[in-house]
Amino acid sequence: MSTIAEFRLSTTEMALADTLEYVPDATVRLETAVSRTLSGLWVLDAEREAIESAFEADPTVESATLLVRTDEGLLYDVEFAEDARRLCDELLAEGGSLLEARGADGSWQVRMRFRDREKLCRTHDRLLESGVNIDVRRVTDLDETTATHTRLTPEQQEALSAAFELGYFEIPRRISMEELADELDISHQALSERLRRAYETLVDAELQPTNGSS
């Protein structure tokens, strides 16, 4: 059964410690749709000149290219140094999916989805063995109790949670149906069916009280 874990890592152990010290008001956020390569990085609340100077001085950054500027912030294509890439490999070694990673005030707030608690524990132990301190703040299992409460099956609950976390419902979408199916390690058809049945269940649950009172 899928497990969602939220934890904190120091920027000195992950990446961009110098950048966030140089531009203390900045917040950085990894683009989850491409998180497996650690390439898309949003920078919020920072001027372009300041953040690019910080990137140049930061030993964890090999290169940074501005892709787009929006009202939300600056999106960079960042190539991280080997040590930072190694930590990413440690995080993803057990098949976990990086849902969110946000850096500010000297720490990274990370949210990941694992297939079960055992894989989360393996990741935790792997990081500790590598000398990385990981502060687990919250663990949530998408178990049968959760599914019963929502009237969704565990598989439907997992699919909806992943779709929401990875931006499938956003406009424009941050992840396609095919990419989402790959994240869940199921076929496109299976994912489409799970989401369709989940929609039906939620709509029925929402309309049922109204129908019952008429």
Side-chain angles (χ1 to χ4, degrees):
M1 196 62 58
S2 291
T3 296
I4 304 294
E6 300 176 20
F7 51 90
R8 184 170 60 187
L9 298 168
S10 170
T11 54
T12 59
E13 295 177 318
M14 189 170 179
L16 301 181
D18 289 357
T19 294
L20 293 175
E21 182 178 0
Y22 186 81
V23 190
D25 292 333
T27 297
V28 296
R29 174 169 55 83
L30 289 176
E31 185 72 32
T32 55
V34 290
S35 61
R36 289 185 181 277
T37 60
L38 284 184
S39 59
L41 186 76
W42 280 101
V43 179
L44 315 178
D45 301 322
E47 296 295 330
R48 177 179 178 179
E49 182 178 351
I51 200 68
E52 292 184 357
S53 295
F55 283 154
E56 289 179 5
D58 195 318
T60 63
V61 176
E62 294 285 351
S63 65
T65 303
L66 181 66
L67 298 178
V68 64
R69 181 201 299 266
T70 70
D71 292 340
E72 181 182 2
L74 306 168
L75 176 62
Y76 284 89
D77 184 4
V78 176
E79 180 180 354
F80 287 95
E82 182 178 355
D83 286 346
R85 294 198 301 270
R86 177 187 60 80
L87 180 56
C88 177
D89 291 340
E90 299 286 356
L91 282 172
L92 302 176
E94 296 295 331
S97 297
L98 185 60
L99 303 178
E100 182 179 11
R102 181 180 293 265
D105 300 324
S107 67
W108 283 91
Q109 309 296 325
V110 180
R111 184 150 38 104
M112 292 187 66
R113 185 180 67 253
F114 297 89
R115 289 202 172 274
D116 49 49
R117 283 210 178 204
E118 182 179 356
K119 293 189 180 298
L120 165 59
C121 292
R122 289 179 182 173
T123 299
H124 179 272
D125 293 343
R126 186 188 299 273
L127 291 172
L128 290 180
E129 290 171 2
S130 299
V132 176
N133 292 316
I134 174 171
D135 180 13
V136 179
R137 314 303 294 273
R138 184 179 181 183
V139 176
T140 304
D141 290 325
L142 300 180
D143 57 15
E144 294 181 1
T145 301
T146 303
T148 300
H149 177 70
T150 62
R151 300 179 59 197
L152 299 172
T153 68
E155 291 79 10
Q156 292 166 2
Q157 178 79 21
E158 179 184 33
L160 277 179
S161 296
F164 179 78
E165 297 288 354
L166 295 177
Y168 178 74
F169 298 118
E170 293 182 13
I171 301 175
R173 286 175 174 167
R174 291 194 287 114
I175 190 170
S176 68
M177 176 77 77
E178 290 79 6
E179 292 169 329
L180 183 58
D182 288 342
E183 286 285 340
L184 294 170
D185 196 24
I186 60 176
S187 69
H188 176 279
Q189 182 178 354
L191 175 60
S192 178
E193 183 67 13
R194 287 184 190 181
L195 290 177
R196 184 183 67 80
R197 291 185 179 278
Y199 300 155
E200 289 179 353
T201 299
L202 293 176
V203 170
D204 178 68
E206 182 67 23
L207 297 179
Q208 198 171 52
T210 301
N211 293 338
S213 62
S214 58

